[in-house]
Amino acid sequence: MTTTNQSGLTSLSQFTHWIEQTDHHATHRLNLIDRVNAALSEDSLATPEERISIASQLERWRYQLLNETRVNRDNSDTNESQGAKLLAEMDYCFQRLRSSDPTNVALRSPRSPHLAIRDDDVERQAVESLQCPSRRDGPTAIRNDDVERQAVESLQCPSRRDGPTVIRDDDVNSQAVESLQCPSRRDGPTAIRNDDVERQAVESLQCPSRRDGPTAIRNDDVNSQAVESLQCPSRRDGPTVIRDDDVNSQAVESLQCPSRRDGPTVIRDDDVERQAVERARTWIDRSFPLAELEASAKRLTDQRFMTCEAADNRAKRRMVLYAPIYVSSECVNHCTYCGFRYPMQINRTHLHLDQVLDQSQILRKRGFQHQLIVAGDYPSRTSTAYFCELIEALEGQGLEIGIEIAAQSTESYAAMVSAGATGVTLYQETYDESVYESVHIRGPKSSFAWRLEAPERAAEAGFSRVGLGILLGLADPAKDFLSLVRHGFYLQHRFPNLQLAFSFPRIHEAPNDFEIPHEISDDDLVRFYCVTRMLFPQSHLVLSTREAAELRARLAHLCITQMSAGSSTSPGGYTESKGDKTNETQPRCMGEQFPVTDERSVEEVTDWLEQDGFEVRWSF
């Protein structure tokens, strides 16, 4: 954890020499460290507003460091190692600065989604090479110590005694290596799964009042249940066994101690998640029977989203309807696939408050209580103050407001929560960093790390719902999907009370000079949604009007719990209803972000849902 010495200096001060040697802005950086030290000292007179201002500057520096040195990638170089440690210390200081009581705050471990989304193939290859000593590129090619040290250095703060190293044990690791080097041992790789490790984790939580502590997360019990459920997707109690709410949250509640600074994240069961990801890898393969996945997804959705509160007192599945309000098509980003990208010669529109209220009123007359603010990224116009003004005005009318805008700072997200926003949707687009860089050429969105950590910043700022997703078609869909799954697990563990949602928009049309690299079939899309339901049974799965009515009907009956209707993807696109059943939006124009495929009116969509036995809800 972040410490202060007798002189009142935080651990950031230990990097003074390194900063002087490597940073052209060293004087400015060291001045900021002095301000951090002063704000976090026991006799500090800094106000909460001053601490938040310093925290924002520290956050900006952190992302500059991430972008400039790429310390988020594994590298044994000394400078990169120092940078990784500095990033961790920045994170701890940032948390303390934003706390109401910096001297007594429950610190989370440093942000590390870049590690969470990694494929374990590399680690698995390392294990396989250890199992076969005769391999020419065996253990020496990927020394276990190097791999583990890089992973730990990228995450931990060396001065943090209760950090990620709390259950790291050289004896345990050496036993694991020895067991792997001896393939004839009957307990082979299972030697890595060691009750000593779990017992140490339990003891480190120091919750003596819980007598049945260790048994609550017995690895054999949890893992065997998870494995059995994962091996049979059609089992009635199947994938639900690995629900975070059912298994992991019970473990957290039974073991955690409020004084433990890194809280529930310390008992994260990587084995269960790894098994879930591996099973997902099998399920998304086209050779796996889609009908089995559809049956499991439908059963799980029916179990968790049925209601008996309908007017006719019959059990019906809930379906939340929402509508996007596009408020600005102004954008400085050069995303090659997007209709709003900066070089596009389109009719740009930026709505003022009264125009947004007019659009919202039209949607409210159609029933929508949950409305989603959507905008391009033009910082001088789509500012924090602009969004807060819109959110506050709409929330003041009793509406439930979500945002789908550019990635924001923690401070900006916190301001929007204070204004009344409850949910944020932010798609990573692709988790393949090389592809991400190739399609996000210029603009604020070109920073992979800034966008990757945005859902975490939103959760830290107080948002209760966060929507994740990938833009299918940009990169290898299977790899992107598995990274999304890992990201979801990571956020669940860091924020146990966070409501996650998932969506899988496809590229159907794009600017003329963009060729879609990967075509995604309807069955592929259904497969991704069904597997997501099996891995995240409690989460909302969202479907927009990008897709055709027939496919939306198919997915609605399987696993979708939230969908848009009668949407417009251009600012000012809604018009007053004339009483017919056409989609009451402006005619298609050059100002759309993407074309709408399901052009049915709101009335037509609600009629269809109700006739098919759904209970339509207009808010959460």
Side-chain angles (χ1 to χ4, degrees):
M1 60 184 165
T2 303
T3 58
T4 54
N5 58 29
Q6 293 180 351
S7 301
L9 302 180
T10 68
S11 298
L12 288 175
S13 300
Q14 67 183 292
F15 299 98
T16 297
H17 179 70
W18 183 79
I19 294 169
E20 290 174 337
Q21 295 296 315
T22 61
D23 197 320
H24 294 300
H25 305 284
T27 301
H28 175 69
R29 309 302 192 199
L30 296 179
N31 178 264
L32 178 57
I33 289 178
D34 288 342
R35 295 174 63 198
V36 171
N37 289 337
L40 294 180
S41 64
E42 292 184 0
D43 57 352
S44 173
L45 298 178
T47 65
E49 291 76 16
E50 290 170 337
R51 290 201 306 270
I52 288 176
S53 175
I54 296 171
S56 297
Q57 295 175 57
L58 190 64
E59 185 174 59
R60 285 196 293 272
W61 178 19
R62 181 177 179 276
Y63 284 104
Q64 289 171 0
L65 185 60
L66 272 171
N67 290 332
E68 291 171 4
T69 65
R70 299 299 177 85
V71 296
N72 57 319
R73 295 177 177 174
D74 290 343
N75 197 311
S76 58
D77 181 81
T78 301
N79 283 340
E80 302 297 331
S81 175
Q82 284 291 101
K85 294 174 182 177
L86 175 57
L87 283 173
E89 282 302 319
M90 286 178 168
D91 205 305
Y92 291 128
C93 288
F94 176 80
Q95 292 181 56
R96 291 182 60 197
L97 286 165
R98 287 193 57 82
S99 170
S100 58
D101 183 3
T103 62
N104 184 25
V105 54
L107 296 176
R108 293 187 182 91
S109 55
R111 298 171 185 165
S112 57
H114 56 283
L115 295 178
I117 65 173
R118 289 189 337 187
D119 198 318
D120 289 335
D121 284 343
V122 174
E123 285 78 6
R124 187 164 53 252
Q125 291 169 7
V127 171
E128 289 172 355
S129 70
L130 289 169
Q131 288 176 325
C132 185
S134 62
R135 275 189 63 176
R136 292 185 178 181
D137 59 349
T140 58
I142 43 177
R143 285 186 58 83
N144 184 267
D145 287 344
D146 291 338
V147 173
E148 292 182 1
R149 184 172 59 250
Q150 291 167 13
V152 171
E153 288 175 352
S154 67
L155 281 171
Q156 75 179 49
C157 163
S159 63
R160 180 168 178 160
R161 296 190 177 182
D162 60 350
T165 57
V166 68
I167 58 172
R168 279 284 313 280
D169 191 302
D170 290 339
D171 292 337
V172 173
N173 289 341
S174 64
Q175 290 170 11
V177 172
E178 290 170 3
S179 69
L180 289 168
Q181 288 175 331
C182 184
S184 63
R185 276 189 65 176
R186 292 188 177 182
D187 58 355
T190 60
I192 297 177
R193 283 187 45 234
N194 193 305
D195 287 340
D196 288 341
V197 175
E198 294 175 10
R199 185 164 56 250
Q200 291 169 14
V202 172
E203 292 171 356
S204 70
L205 288 170
Q206 297 176 345
C207 190
S209 62
R210 179 71 183 179
R211 294 192 176 183
D212 58 353
T215 61
I217 54 168
R218 286 280 304 176
N219 209 7
D220 290 340
D221 295 336
V222 174
N223 287 343
S224 63
Q225 292 172 5
V227 170
E228 289 172 5
S229 67
L230 289 167
Q231 288 174 336
C232 185
S234 61
R235 274 189 62 179
R236 292 189 176 181
D237 60 348
T240 60
V241 177
I242 63 168
R243 283 178 50 204
D244 180 73
D245 288 343
D246 292 339
V247 177
N248 294 334
S249 65
Q250 290 174 10
V252 169
E253 291 169 2
S254 65
L255 287 171
Q256 79 181 51
C257 175
S259 62
R260 176 70 182 179
R261 294 195 168 188
D262 52 0
T265 58
V266 74
I267 62 169
R268 179 175 179 178
D269 196 328
D270 290 333
D271 286 340
V272 172
E273 291 183 7
R274 186 160 48 246
Q275 291 161 9
V277 171
E278 287 308 306
R279 183 50 56 185
R281 195 189 304 273
T282 299
W283 288 338
I284 62 176
D285 190 285
R286 290 172 178 168
S287 64
F288 194 95
L290 180 57
E292 291 187 31
L293 302 177
E294 290 178 325
S296 293
K298 177 172 172 52
R299 186 186 65 254
L300 289 168
T301 308
D302 288 345
Q303 288 174 353
R304 286 160 179 78
F305 293 91
M306 280 291 188
T307 177
C308 293
E309 301 173 5
D312 56 9
N313 208 28
R314 291 187 303 169
K316 294 184 177 182
R317 177 115 74 73
R318 304 189 302 272
M319 181 68 72
V320 177
L321 291 186
Y322 76 97
I325 303 180
Y326 277 74
V327 300
S328 181
S329 56
E330 300 278 5
C331 194
V332 298
N333 289 311
H334 292 240
C335 309
T336 58
Y337 53 84
C338 183
F340 281 176
R341 69 178 182 177
Y342 184 76
M344 292 288 289
Q345 299 299 312
I346 63 172
N347 299 322
R348 304 279 181 177
T349 304
H350 180 84
L351 303 185
H352 298 290
L353 176 59
D354 57 343
Q355 296 171 301
V356 173
L357 290 175
D358 288 343
Q359 292 285 286
S360 175
Q361 183 62 24
I362 293 172
L363 293 175
R364 190 170 185 180
K365 288 179 180 178
R366 297 175 191 171
F368 292 107
Q369 296 296 312
H370 179 56
Q371 299 179 10
L372 183 69
I373 295 175
V374 186
D377 186 6
Y378 203 98
S380 64
R381 306 200 72 184
T382 56
S383 63
T384 301
Y386 172 71
F387 288 122
C388 286
E389 180 185 36
L390 302 185
I391 293 166
E392 189 170 357
L394 295 174
E395 195 273 340
Q397 296 187 358
L399 299 174
E400 198 172 66
I401 302 301
I403 56 172
E404 187 175 340
I405 60 177
Q408 303 290 308
S409 68
T410 308
E411 184 178 5
S412 292
Y413 278 135
M416 294 176 199
V417 169
S418 297
T422 58
V424 59
T425 298
L426 191 87
Y427 304 146
Q428 185 59 29
E429 316 296 16
T430 175
Y431 287 89
D432 185 321
E433 191 167 357
S434 61
V435 174
Y436 186 95
E437 292 174 349
S438 71
V439 297
H440 301 102
I441 301 171
R442 292 175 58 189
K445 194 173 178 178
S446 62
S447 172
F448 180 85
W450 176 250
R451 193 167 185 88
L452 180 63
E453 291 189 357
E456 204 162 348
R457 295 195 299 273
E460 290 172 355
F463 276 99
S464 58
R465 294 196 311 275
V466 171
L468 306 178
I470 49 178
L471 184 56
L472 291 174
L474 287 182
D476 183 317
K479 291 181 179 178
D480 259 354
F481 177 79
L482 295 177
S483 292
L484 174 66
V485 168
R486 296 186 190 97
H487 196 188
F489 284 148
Y490 167 82
L491 290 172
Q492 274 190 341
H493 280 284
R494 287 182 73 80
F495 308 97
N497 296 321
L498 183 67
Q499 176 67 56
L500 289 179
F502 296 88
S503 186
F504 299 96
R506 286 190 293 181
I507 305 176
H508 290 292
E509 294 184 28
N512 293 332
D513 57 347
F514 181 81
E515 294 185 7
I516 303 173
H518 299 268
E519 293 291 341
I520 309 296
S521 70
D522 287 358
D523 280 354
D524 290 336
L525 183 64
V526 171
R527 186 179 294 273
F528 288 135
Y529 269 114
C530 288
V531 174
T532 304
R533 169 59 69 222
M534 295 162 70
L535 297 174
F536 301 92
Q538 298 285 62
S539 295
H540 275 283
L541 300 188
V542 186
L543 187 61
S544 77
T545 52
R546 283 179 184 257
E547 302 299 340
E550 296 78 10
L551 180 58
R552 275 162 50 94
R554 177 184 174 186
L555 280 164
H557 282 283
L558 292 174
C559 57
I560 296 300
T561 56
Q562 183 182 349
M563 60 169 50
S564 57
S567 300
S568 169
T569 65
S570 59
Y574 298 110
T575 60
E576 291 286 354
S577 172
K578 295 181 175 60
D580 58 20
K581 289 192 176 184
T582 59
N583 186 4
E584 299 92 2
T585 60
Q586 296 281 10
R588 182 168 292 182
C589 63
M590 289 291 290
E592 291 180 315
Q593 187 184 30
F594 60 85
V596 169
T597 304
D598 184 354
E599 296 184 321
R600 291 176 296 173
S601 69
V602 178
E603 185 179 355
E604 288 175 313
V605 172
T606 54
D607 286 348
W608 153 63
L609 286 170
E610 290 172 351
Q611 290 171 9
D612 278 19
F614 290 89
E615 181 190 349
V616 175
R617 293 196 174 182
W618 301 97
S619 63
F620 288 103

